[in-house]
Amino acid sequence: MSDLKPPPRRKATSKPSVSAAKPGRRPKPVDKATVIEIFRRFEAANPHPEGELEYVNPYTLLVAVLLSAQATDVGVNKATRLLFPLADTPQRMLELGEEGVREKIKTLNYFNTKAKNVIAMSKRLVEEFGGAVPRTMEELTSLPGVGQKTASVVMNIAFHIPHIAVDTHIFRVANRIPFVHTKTPLETQAPLEKLVPDEFKLHAHHWLILHGRYVCKARTPECPRCPINDLCRYPAKTL
C-alpha cells in the first residue's frame, strides 16, 4: 500500500523543545498535548495528503491495495493501467478470469497468488454483496486476500471512515517519536487510533507514511529538516 507524494519542505514552527532520552534507553511516549502539536504541524504542511495508487472506484482501490503487498505503488500502477480498463467491477474481473488477471499483473511479486485472490474476492463480492465493496472491517477481512491493513486503507480512503493502517513506515515512526511502544505493525493500530485526536484521524495514516517514507527514513532519518524534531524523543537523531 502506499508510496505517497512527498510533503512540501516547511520550516518547523518554533515550539518548546522536548528532551530526548539518552541513546540505548527507550524514551517515554509523548504526552497528549505533544501528539496534538505533531499532527497540527503535519496538517499545516500538507492539509490534503494523497496516495499514489491509481483507482477509479472502491472496488479498484481494494484490488490495487491487495496487489500492493510486497510491491511498490509505481509497479502496481503499471499493472493496473492494463487491468482496470478491462475489469473495473467484480463481474468484469470474473469475466476476465484468473488467467487474464495473471497476465496483466505478472510483473508483480506473487502474481499467481494475487490473481487467485482477486478472482476469489470478486466472486465473493458478486455472490454475497451484490458486487459492492462492504464498509465494515469484519466484512472486508472476510474476503480472500484482505487483511486488517488492506481493509483499513479501503475504509479510510474510499469511505472516509477513519482508520490508521499500520505499515512498516508508520510502525517505525510511531515507535521512534514515540507515540507507542509496540512489537509489530498489527498490534500498533489499535493504540495509535486511540491516541490520535478525532480531528486528525482521517489523514493520520497518510501523514505518518509520508513522514516515514521521506523524512524519518529507516536507515538515515533526516532529522535536521524534520518539522517535529523538537518534539520527537528518538535518541539516535541524526545531526
Side-chain angles (χ1 to χ4, degrees):
M1 104 186 153
S2 49
D3 281 358
L4 299 165
K5 298 176 182 179
R9 296 194 178 198
R10 298 286 185 89
K11 185 176 180 181
T13 55
S14 176
K15 291 290 178 181
S17 62
V18 177
S19 58
K22 294 181 180 180
R25 293 185 181 180
R26 212 173 189 191
K28 183 179 179 181
V30 296
D31 58 27
K32 190 70 173 182
T34 304
V35 173
I36 293 172
E37 176 61 17
I38 287 171
F39 283 101
R40 189 199 66 76
R41 294 187 191 182
F42 285 155
E43 181 180 48
N46 192 4
H48 304 290
E50 295 181 357
E52 288 185 349
L53 277 179
E54 297 173 0
Y55 64 97
V56 296
N57 54 35
Y59 171 70
T60 52
L61 174 62
L62 176 58
V63 172
V65 177
L66 188 155
L67 296 178
S68 71
Q70 303 297 314
T72 66
D73 284 7
V74 171
V76 172
N77 289 339
K78 287 181 179 178
T80 57
R81 285 170 194 161
L82 301 174
L83 179 63
F84 290 160
L86 300 174
D88 59 355
T89 67
Q91 185 60 52
R92 293 186 71 192
M93 194 70 74
L94 291 176
E95 291 170 0
L96 181 61
E98 186 177 323
E99 182 58 36
V101 175
R102 186 183 301 115
E103 178 63 24
K104 301 304 180 186
I105 68 169
K106 62 184 178 182
T107 55
L108 300 177
N109 291 331
Y110 309 109
F111 65 91
N112 284 316
T113 298
K114 290 178 179 179
K116 289 180 181 179
N117 284 336
V118 166
I119 291 299
M121 176 191 72
S122 300
K123 189 172 186 291
R124 284 280 305 283
L125 288 176
V126 169
E127 293 179 350
E128 299 183 27
F129 298 97
V133 176
R135 297 178 175 229
T136 70
M137 180 67 69
E138 182 180 5
E139 290 173 320
L140 280 166
T141 54
S142 74
L143 299 172
V146 179
Q148 179 176 308
K149 185 171 71 173
T150 296
S152 295
V153 172
V154 172
M155 292 175 70
N156 192 77
I157 297 176
F159 303 127
H160 307 294
I161 301 171
H163 278 283
I164 303 175
V166 179
D167 68 349
T168 55
H169 295 298
I170 294 182
F171 174 65
R172 179 175 67 254
V173 169
N175 279 273
R176 273 183 178 175
I177 291 175
F179 288 140
V180 295
H181 289 314
T182 53
K183 294 181 180 179
T184 67
L186 187 61
E187 71 179 49
T188 304
Q189 181 167 341
L192 196 56
E193 288 181 348
K194 184 177 180 181
L195 180 68
V196 176
D198 289 344
E199 62 265 36
F200 300 119
K201 199 167 290 181
L202 182 62
H203 293 315
H205 164 76
H206 283 155
W207 284 323
L208 292 173
I209 289 178
L210 285 167
H211 190 63
R213 186 176 299 280
Y214 297 110
V215 181
C216 194
K217 300 175 182 178
R219 294 186 179 181
T220 309
E222 297 186 20
C223 300
R225 74 177 188 90
C226 173
I228 61 167
N229 188 313
D230 59 314
L231 303 176
C232 173
R233 298 176 177 177
Y234 182 50
K237 291 180 182 178
T238 56
L239 299 178

Coordinates of all heavy atoms in Angstrom, one line a residue, residues 15 32 65-66 72 80 82 97 120 124 146 158 162 167 175 180 186 189 194 219-221:
K15 N 8.7 25.9 18.8 CA 7.9 25.4 19.9 C 8.9 25.0 21.0 O 10.0 24.7 20.7 CB 7.1 24.2 19.5 CG 5.9 24.6 18.5 CD 4.8 25.4 19.3 CE 3.7 25.8 18.3 NZ 2.7 26.6 19.0
K32 N -0.3 13.9 25.5 CA -1.4 14.2 24.6 C -1.2 15.6 23.9 O -1.5 15.7 22.7 CB -2.7 14.2 25.4 CG -3.9 14.3 24.5 CD -4.2 13.1 23.7 CE -5.5 13.1 23.0 NZ -5.8 11.9 22.3
V65 N -4.9 -2.1 -3.6 CA -4.2 -2.3 -2.3 C -3.8 -3.7 -2.1 O -2.8 -4.1 -1.6 CB -5.1 -1.8 -1.1 CG1 -4.5 -2.0 0.2 CG2 -5.4 -0.3 -1.3
L66 N -4.7 -4.7 -2.5 CA -4.4 -6.1 -2.4 C -3.1 -6.4 -3.2 O -2.2 -7.1 -2.7 CB -5.6 -6.9 -2.9 CG -5.5 -8.4 -2.7 CD1 -6.9 -9.0 -2.6 CD2 -4.8 -9.1 -3.8
T72 N 5.8 -2.0 -5.1 CA 5.7 -0.6 -5.0 C 4.5 -0.1 -5.7 O 3.9 -0.8 -6.5 CB 6.9 0.1 -5.7 OG1 6.9 -0.2 -7.1 CG2 8.2 -0.4 -5.1
T80 N -2.1 -2.1 -13.1 CA -3.5 -1.8 -13.1 C -3.9 -1.0 -14.3 O -5.1 -0.9 -14.6 CB -3.9 -1.2 -11.8 OG1 -3.2 0.0 -11.5 CG2 -3.7 -2.2 -10.6
L82 N -3.2 -1.7 -17.2 CA -3.6 -2.7 -18.1 C -4.8 -3.4 -17.7 O -5.6 -3.9 -18.5 CB -2.4 -3.7 -18.3 CG -1.1 -3.1 -18.8 CD1 0.0 -4.2 -18.8 CD2 -1.2 -2.5 -20.2
G97 N -11.3 -13.5 -15.9 CA -10.7 -14.8 -15.4 C -9.4 -14.7 -14.8 O -8.6 -13.8 -15.0
A120 N -11.1 -14.8 -6.4 CA -11.9 -15.3 -5.3 C -12.6 -14.2 -4.6 O -13.8 -14.3 -4.2 CB -11.0 -16.1 -4.3
R124 N -16.8 -13.6 -4.3 CA -17.5 -13.3 -3.0 C -18.3 -12.0 -3.1 O -19.4 -12.0 -2.6 CB -16.5 -13.3 -1.9 CG -15.9 -14.6 -1.4 CD -16.9 -15.4 -0.5 NE -17.3 -14.6 0.6 CZ -16.5 -14.4 1.7 NH1 -15.3 -15.0 1.8 NH2 -17.0 -13.6 2.7
V146 N -7.7 -10.3 1.9 CA -7.9 -9.0 2.5 C -7.6 -9.1 4.0 O -8.4 -9.7 4.7 CB -9.3 -8.4 2.3 CG1 -9.4 -7.0 2.9 CG2 -9.5 -8.2 0.8
A158 N -11.6 5.1 0.7 CA -12.8 5.0 -0.2 C -14.1 5.5 0.5 O -14.9 6.2 -0.1 CB -13.0 3.6 -0.6
P162 N -12.5 6.8 9.4 CA -11.1 7.0 9.9 C -10.5 5.7 10.5 O -11.0 5.0 11.4 CB -11.2 8.0 11.0 CG -12.4 8.8 10.7 CD -13.4 7.8 10.1
D167 N 1.7 0.3 8.3 CA 2.7 -0.5 7.6 C 4.0 -0.3 8.3 O 4.1 0.2 9.4 CB 2.8 0.1 6.1 CG 3.3 1.5 6.0 OD1 3.4 2.2 7.1 OD2 3.6 1.9 4.9
N175 N 7.0 4.3 16.9 CA 7.8 3.8 17.9 C 9.1 4.7 18.1 O 9.7 4.6 19.2 CB 8.3 2.4 17.7 CG 7.2 1.4 18.1 OD1 7.1 1.0 19.3 ND2 6.3 1.0 17.2
V180 N 3.9 5.2 20.8 CA 3.6 3.9 21.5 C 4.9 3.1 21.6 O 5.9 3.4 20.9 CB 2.6 3.1 20.7 CG1 1.2 3.8 20.7 CG2 3.0 2.8 19.3
L186 N 0.9 -4.8 13.4 CA -0.5 -5.2 13.6 C -1.0 -4.8 15.0 O -2.1 -4.3 15.1 CB -0.7 -6.7 13.5 CG -2.1 -7.3 13.5 CD1 -2.9 -6.7 12.4 CD2 -2.1 -8.8 13.5
Q189 N -1.9 -0.7 15.5 CA -3.1 0.1 15.0 C -4.0 0.5 16.1 O -4.4 1.7 16.2 CB -3.8 -0.7 14.0 CG -5.0 0.0 13.4 CD -5.6 -0.6 12.1 OE1 -4.9 -1.4 11.5 NE2 -6.8 -0.3 11.8
K194 N -6.5 5.0 19.0 CA -7.0 5.6 20.3 C -6.3 6.9 20.7 O -6.9 7.8 21.3 CB -6.8 4.5 21.4 CG -7.4 4.9 22.7 CD -7.2 3.8 23.8 CE -7.8 4.2 25.1 NZ -7.7 3.1 26.1
R219 N 17.0 3.9 7.6 CA 18.5 3.9 7.9 C 19.0 5.2 8.3 O 19.8 5.3 9.3 CB 19.2 3.3 6.7 CG 18.9 1.8 6.4 CD 19.7 1.3 5.3 NE 19.5 -0.1 5.0 CZ 20.1 -0.8 4.1 NH1 21.1 -0.3 3.4 NH2 19.7 -2.1 3.9
T220 N 18.6 6.2 7.6 CA 19.2 7.6 7.9 C 18.1 8.6 8.0 O 17.8 9.3 7.0 CB 20.2 8.0 6.9 OG1 21.2 6.9 6.7 CG2 21.0 9.3 7.3
P221 N 17.4 8.7 9.1 CA 16.4 9.8 9.2 C 16.9 11.2 9.0 O 18.1 11.5 9.5 CB 15.9 9.6 10.7 CG 17.0 8.9 11.4 CD 17.7 8.0 10.4

